[in-house]
Amino acid sequence: STLDTFQSKCSSFNSTFREQINIFGSNISSLNTSLSNQVVIFENNFSFLNTRLGDQVEIFENNISFLNKQLGDQCIAGKGGLVGWLSKDWDNLNHVGNNLHTVVKLTFNKQRNDTFFRLTFVSTREEQDDDSCSEWYFKVDNGECTPHSINGYTYRKIPSSDRIEMSSSILGVCRGTSGGVLLSGTHKVSMHVRACTWWHPQTWNPRTGFQTTTTMLVEEMCPPQ
């Protein structure tokens, strides 16, 4: 009788233990399923975040590219700026006489159609004869700048025995020539000398670049504000 009671209790305990095992297994299975679901949700969220981040990076790169393009284009309306430039020097040029009208020249590659040339010439400019006048002036592609010539003159009234050597500059903006607007491409820029057109009689005997460095500077400029 005692053995039967013990066996009955053991059977009841085993049954209860198996139920607890089943409940624990069910809970573990439920936890695994829930964990799997959370992992899937995390992976989906992570994928979504990566996609959003990729989109933001692309937007940022596009904005940087746009800003770089804007900064690179110096000729935005009203902004102005320098597109390119070229300078050339000649030491002790000593260009003398009125039989050679071209003093110096260089070739410039213009990048845009809507830009202008700012031209600078620095040297000594002397008129050697008494009561005479010489005019130095720019040409682009063998035409003078319009609407105004870029020029400078030297008139000598004192006796030619009294020499005056002094460096000076000729500077101006060339918007075009008699040949038309200065489009993009290769252009020949040159400095010339002639008798002053307003002086009569037109006697002249110029000297350019005596014992100094002669410089010609060509700058491609955006339209002014």
Side-chain angles (χ1 to χ4, degrees):
S1 175
T2 302
L3 180 61
D4 291 339
T5 300
F6 176 76
Q7 289 177 343
S8 177
K9 288 183 178 181
C10 284
S11 177
S12 176
F13 175 79
N14 287 338
S15 177
T16 301
F17 182 74
R18 281 195 297 270
E19 290 177 358
Q20 293 298 321
I21 291 294
N22 289 335
I23 292 172
F24 178 77
S26 296
N27 289 337
I28 290 295
S29 177
S30 176
L31 286 173
N32 285 337
T33 301
S34 178
L35 181 61
S36 297
N37 291 336
Q38 293 300 320
V39 168
V40 171
I41 293 172
F42 174 78
E43 289 176 343
N44 290 338
N45 288 337
F46 189 74
S47 176
F48 174 76
L49 288 173
N50 282 337
T51 301
R52 290 298 303 273
L53 180 61
D55 291 341
Q56 293 300 319
V57 169
E58 184 177 359
I59 292 172
F60 176 77
E61 290 175 345
N62 290 338
N63 288 337
I64 290 295
S65 177
F66 175 76
L67 288 174
N68 285 337
K69 183 178 179 181
Q70 292 289 83
L71 291 173
D73 188 354
Q74 295 297 320
C75 289
I76 300 173
K79 182 177 181 180
L82 176 65
V83 177
W85 63 276
L86 178 64
S87 177
K88 189 172 182 179
D89 299 321
W90 295 264
D91 291 328
N92 193 22
L93 182 66
N94 200 25
H95 183 280
V96 181
N98 55 19
N99 59 332
L100 297 174
H101 292 193
T102 302
V103 181
V104 292
K105 58 185 177 181
L106 59 77
T107 300
F108 186 88
N109 186 28
K110 192 171 183 284
Q111 299 181 34
R112 302 174 62 106
N113 292 330
D114 59 346
T115 51
F116 304 138
F117 279 158
R118 181 165 64 185
L119 306 177
T120 306
F121 179 78
V122 181
S123 186
T124 57
R125 296 182 292 113
E126 178 192 6
E127 171 54 57
Q128 300 182 99
D129 289 351
D130 183 26
D131 205 24
S132 298
C133 184
S134 295
E135 178 188 4
W136 286 257
Y137 61 102
F138 274 104
K139 277 187 176 183
V140 179
D141 300 330
N142 208 34
E144 286 191 61
C145 295
T146 58
H148 306 288
S149 178
I150 303 174
N151 58 7
Y153 69 88
T154 300
Y155 167 70
R156 175 185 285 277
K157 182 64 176 176
I158 62 176
S160 57
S161 58
D162 299 328
R163 295 186 59 184
I164 299 177
E165 299 287 353
M166 182 175 62
S167 295
S168 59
S169 301
I170 298 175
L171 169 67
V173 175
C174 188
R175 292 173 169 79
T177 68
S178 55
V181 177
L182 300 175
L183 301 177
S184 62
T186 301
H187 296 275
K188 295 180 180 179
V189 182
S190 51
M191 173 57 65
H192 299 257
V193 63
R194 63 190 172 194
C196 295
T197 55
W198 50 269
W199 177 251
H200 297 282
Q202 290 187 342
T203 55
W204 59 303
N205 187 18
R207 180 198 295 266
T208 310
F210 178 71
Q211 294 296 324
T212 190
T213 299
T214 297
T215 300
M216 181 187 286
L217 173 64
V218 179
E219 298 170 280
E220 184 179 354
M221 305 298 297
C222 297
Q225 295 183 6

